[in-house]
Amino acid sequence: MTDWLFILLDGYIVWMIVFFLLSFFLSSKRVFRMLLFIIFLYVITWGAEELELVISATILGYVKEWIPLIFVVILSPDIRKSFESAFVIDSKRDVATMGSAETKQHIVEAVTYLSSQNIGALITIEKHSSLDQYAERAIQMNSQVSKELLINIFTPLTPLHDGAVIIRGDTIRCAGAYYVLSETTKYDKTMGSRHRAALGISEVSDSLTIVVSEETGTISIVIEGIMLKANDKEKIYEYLNMFMK
């Protein structure tokens, strides 16, 4: 009986490792291309050794030894994103804390004002997925949501204008939060870092993020890897009402 338990445990651990590796290698085109390159490199190295091509085999042997380090350096953002994605999924809360009608109003008024002044902004609203791992590395605030505070945070040349604000319920959890940028090719390749950050957090959590473009003042709503334009108050209210119900 004990032997069977060890066999099952051993099989389960192997299955988890294989599942994680497959999820990681198929998570983005860049990771998949890197995997194909490594396989190709090992194949031609083996071929060079079998054919006794001394110079080629020696050079490829050195390259093969450095491949693990090169792999980690190049794909470190993707590795980090995979671990953070797994953490976010495991940290979902049963009950989401949604903001009041007053909080929605403050968010909409702040966003439309920032848009009118072409001031860039990134505001993420939590739902079930906890974003504590991002908030803990940012500037803690735990302040009541208000139009004035949000505008002040994103005012250019102030200490907190870079990064994202994370809102939980009626509270600004933190400011200056940074996310892993999305690698998606679905949208314009010239898209700025704020929009890619918003897409990045939407790919690993069930949050909603509002982005104000610094260049054009346009407002975008980002949720579940989808980016939608919302350049009037009614549209922003509509998205917030659907999300914060």
Side-chain angles (χ1 to χ4, degrees):
M1 185 66 180
T2 306
D3 291 339
W4 277 107
L5 286 175
F6 279 113
I7 292 170
L8 288 172
L9 179 61
D10 196 22
Y12 181 67
I13 291 171
V14 171
W15 176 82
M16 285 195 300
I17 293 170
V18 171
F19 178 78
F20 177 80
L21 289 175
L22 284 175
S23 300
F24 173 66
F25 285 122
L26 297 175
S27 62
S28 74
K29 291 181 180 178
R30 183 171 67 168
V31 177
F32 187 66
R33 285 196 297 266
M34 189 70 181
L35 175 63
L36 291 179
F37 169 74
I38 291 172
I39 293 172
F40 174 72
L41 180 66
Y42 274 87
V43 168
I44 62 170
T45 302
W46 174 81
E49 290 171 351
E50 287 294 309
L51 295 172
E52 297 183 354
L53 305 175
V54 179
I55 298 174
S56 299
T58 303
I59 294 172
L60 289 169
Y62 284 123
V63 173
K64 189 174 69 173
E65 288 179 6
W66 285 96
I67 275 293
L69 179 60
I70 296 169
F71 183 82
V72 171
V73 170
I74 294 176
L75 298 181
S76 55
D78 301 273
I79 295 169
R80 177 185 165 197
K81 186 173 180 179
S82 295
F83 278 108
E84 289 184 341
S85 176
F87 183 86
V88 170
I89 291 169
D90 289 339
S91 62
K92 283 193 174 181
R93 294 171 288 139
D94 293 332
V95 179
T97 305
M98 293 287 96
S100 63
E102 185 180 1
T103 290
K104 292 178 194 175
Q105 182 180 349
H106 280 293
I107 293 172
V108 172
E109 289 182 356
V111 165
T112 51
Y113 173 81
L114 292 166
S115 172
S116 70
Q117 302 298 309
N118 279 25
I119 297 174
L122 190 61
I123 300 172
T124 300
I125 303 169
E126 268 191 355
K127 198 165 191 180
H128 291 286
S129 300
S130 170
L131 302 180
D132 282 346
Q133 73 270 33
Y134 303 100
E136 286 165 3
R137 298 197 294 262
I139 307 301
Q140 304 297 307
M141 297 195 68
N142 297 316
S143 307
Q144 188 76 14
V145 174
S146 72
K147 169 189 172 183
E148 293 78 14
L149 183 52
L150 288 170
I151 291 171
N152 189 63
I153 288 171
F154 291 109
T155 299
L157 305 180
T158 56
L160 300 178
H161 82 281
D162 280 332
V165 159
I166 295 177
I167 293 176
R168 176 182 293 172
D170 296 314
T171 303
I172 297 176
R173 176 87 168 77
C174 69
Y178 289 93
Y179 309 136
V180 177
L181 305 186
S182 173
E183 295 290 335
T184 184
T185 57
K186 290 191 297 183
Y187 300 96
D188 186 357
K189 291 182 179 179
T190 61
M191 182 171 54
S193 57
R194 280 194 180 90
H195 292 82
R196 291 204 173 277
L199 284 167
I201 195 63
S202 76
E203 291 166 355
V204 298
S205 73
D206 61 356
S207 60
L208 177 147
T209 299
I210 304 173
V211 190
V212 180
S213 170
E214 188 173 347
E215 288 75 24
T216 63
T218 56
I219 301 169
S220 302
I221 304 290
V222 185
I223 185 170
E224 295 181 357
I226 300 170
M227 184 178 297
L228 306 160
K229 297 296 182 185
N231 286 323
D232 57 75
K233 286 187 176 183
E234 290 72 23
K235 206 69 177 174
I236 303 170
Y237 269 120
E238 182 182 335
Y239 288 128
L240 288 181
N241 285 330
M242 287 190 294
F243 180 77
M244 298 170 70
K245 59 183 179 180

